[in-house]
Amino acid sequence: MLKALRFAAAIALLSGASFPAFSAESSHDMAGMPDMQGMSMPAKAAPAATVYHTEGVVKKLTADTVSIAHHPVAGLGWPAMTMTFSLPKDGSVPALSVGEKISFTFAQHEQGYQLVSATPLN
């Protein structure tokens, strides 16, 4: 992943150096363009959250959270631990029970980590 970030940074630097005419120094004033009034610009789409997968055991359930003792999550560099995830408000995760072994996915959101899916393991 670090290699990919370095590559992206190098491309960004090379792009700016190769095309100085398109630098951030140029600006355009659209205030005098009457045909642009009332035109709305699309909001920037939120980047898709990265979804991580691991397995674990359900330790505690509340109305909107689940605590899971889970295996390491290599994509985040996390060791095995117990943590609490928020449940999606749309009810897309099946009913879980304390002590149940599950395979699950989760993603980071503004308020923390949220369960995306859960599948019981037999």
Side-chain angles (χ1 to χ4, degrees):
M1 179 156 175
L2 186 57
K3 191 181 253 184
L5 288 173
R6 286 183 183 158
F7 179 75
I11 294 298
L13 286 173
L14 289 174
S15 296
S18 301
F19 303 101
F22 296 105
S23 71
E25 294 176 10
S26 64
S27 66
H28 302 283
D29 182 14
M30 292 190 202
M33 299 179 73
D35 58 335
M36 299 295 279
Q37 291 178 355
M39 184 175 170
S40 63
M41 300 300 277
K44 287 186 179 180
T50 301
V51 176
Y52 301 95
H53 175 265
T54 192
E55 295 178 357
V57 177
V58 176
K59 293 296 186 180
K60 181 180 176 183
L61 288 164
T62 69
D64 23 331
T65 65
V66 58
S67 294
I68 304 171
H70 64 77
H71 294 265
V73 181
L76 290 167
W78 287 357
M81 68 176 101
T82 300
M83 64 183 289
T84 302
F85 299 88
S86 63
L87 293 171
K89 304 228 184 286
D90 64 4
S92 59
V93 173
L96 301 171
S97 348
V98 172
E100 185 173 29
K101 292 180 182 179
I102 60 172
S103 172
F104 68 98
T105 60
F106 64 95
Q108 184 173 10
H109 293 274
E110 292 174 4
Q111 291 80 25
Y113 291 92
Q114 183 177 58
L115 207 63
V116 173
S117 70
T119 305
L121 296 173
N122 296 329

